Amino acid sequence: MEIQKYEEIKIFKDNLSSFRETSRDTDGQEAGCMTNSEIQVINFDKVKESYISEMKLPNTPCSNDALYIGKDEKIFFVEFKNGVMKKEKIFNVYYKIYDSLLIFNDIVGENISFCRKNLYFILVYNEGKNSCESDRVGQQDSSKAIISKYVHNKAKKKFVRFGLDRFEKIYFKEVFTYTEYEFEKIFLPQIS
């Protein structure tokens, strides 16, 4: 199946932005962005607003911050979280994933099988506020997180935090959790 040209979809064309702008912290007291990258992306929060604008919904669905479509046709949902990843914030990310997938699939006329083969998910989090040494990650205590990250690094395998690995293979081809530094040094060079 050939992937359609997403840049030709009006709701996507009308909501272009940059990683820098979509990473702006609007929830917390700290103003600022989690990346300075000016790489063009689709502002998926704005896509959602356009998508629901005439529906008169009693509750607004959640959405991921950015949708990036690479030159190699890889499609990435990216969510930026600058705060402490407590249980309620982690569940909010889960809701964002579900709602964003449904909206995306409706817009492009695809299904979850398509997403499983073609979409990737990245959560970019604030390392200082969520270090393995100092936080509780969902049900994991900090020592389990430290050991798990160490073992994954030694095995040269990725370490997915906050229980987001549950979405890999069922909804996304792969899931990644990056600190701001990892996002800048690992992901952005791959797409530049």
Side-chain angles (χ1 to χ4, degrees):
M1 173 191 306
E2 185 177 320
I3 297 176
Q4 60 181 310
K5 300 289 183 206
Y6 294 107
E7 61 271 7
E8 296 171 7
I9 297 174
K10 182 174 178 7
I11 197 168
F12 291 165
K13 281 194 311 190
D14 291 347
N15 292 292
L16 296 177
S17 191
S18 67
F19 272 129
R20 176 176 162 50
E21 191 57 37
T22 59
S23 76
R24 185 174 305 283
D25 185 4
T26 56
D27 291 341
Q29 291 87 359
E30 299 174 28
C33 301
M34 293 185 72
T35 182
N36 288 319
S37 173
E38 292 297 332
I39 292 173
Q40 188 175 62
V41 298
I42 297 163
N43 185 324
F44 210 74
D45 284 328
K46 289 184 179 178
V47 167
K48 173 205 60 183
E49 292 302 322
S50 298
Y51 178 82
I52 66 166
S53 65
E54 307 214 358
M55 293 183 185
K56 296 180 176 67
L57 300 175
N59 297 308
T60 302
C62 300
S63 57
N64 291 311
D65 294 318
L67 181 67
Y68 172 76
I69 300 159
K71 294 176 181 117
D72 57 359
E73 300 298 332
K74 284 187 177 177
I75 306 166
F76 294 86
F77 268 121
V78 181
E79 177 64 21
F80 295 95
K81 283 295 179 196
N82 195 27
V84 177
M85 294 297 291
K86 293 184 178 176
K87 194 174 189 175
E88 61 274 0
K89 203 165 254 202
I90 293 167
F91 284 128
N92 179 258
V93 172
Y94 294 177
Y95 289 125
K96 288 180 178 216
I97 288 171
Y98 294 130
D99 289 350
S100 294
L101 284 172
L102 289 170
I103 292 168
F104 174 82
N105 283 334
D106 192 36
I107 291 169
V108 302
E110 293 293 350
N111 57 33
I112 292 299
S113 295
F114 172 84
C115 295
R116 190 172 27 251
K117 294 175 189 163
N118 298 288
L119 265 69
Y120 299 79
F121 179 80
I122 297 173
L123 173 73
V124 182
Y125 65 94
N126 183 315
E127 182 177 26
K129 295 177 183 175
N130 296 286
S131 68
C132 285
E133 292 79 11
S134 64
D135 72 335
R136 290 184 62 81
V137 184
Q139 302 296 58
Q140 297 176 326
D141 63 19
S142 60
S143 60
K144 284 183 184 176
I146 293 167
I147 293 167
S148 185
K149 187 168 190 172
Y150 176 80
V151 169
H152 280 80
N153 286 339
K154 281 292 191 190
K156 297 188 186 318
K157 294 191 177 200
K158 69 180 174 176
F159 177 60
V160 179
R161 297 195 62 196
F162 314 115
L164 291 169
D165 53 333
R166 73 179 62 203
F167 295 99
E168 191 169 274
K169 307 293 182 234
I170 186 166
Y171 299 121
F172 297 105
K173 187 168 187 169
E174 282 190 86
V175 173
F176 302 89
T177 53
Y178 291 135
T179 64
E180 306 104 312
Y181 176 80
E182 291 168 333
F183 183 72
E184 295 280 338
K185 299 300 178 199
I186 297 170
F187 179 71
L188 292 179
Q190 291 177 16
I191 64 170
S192 298

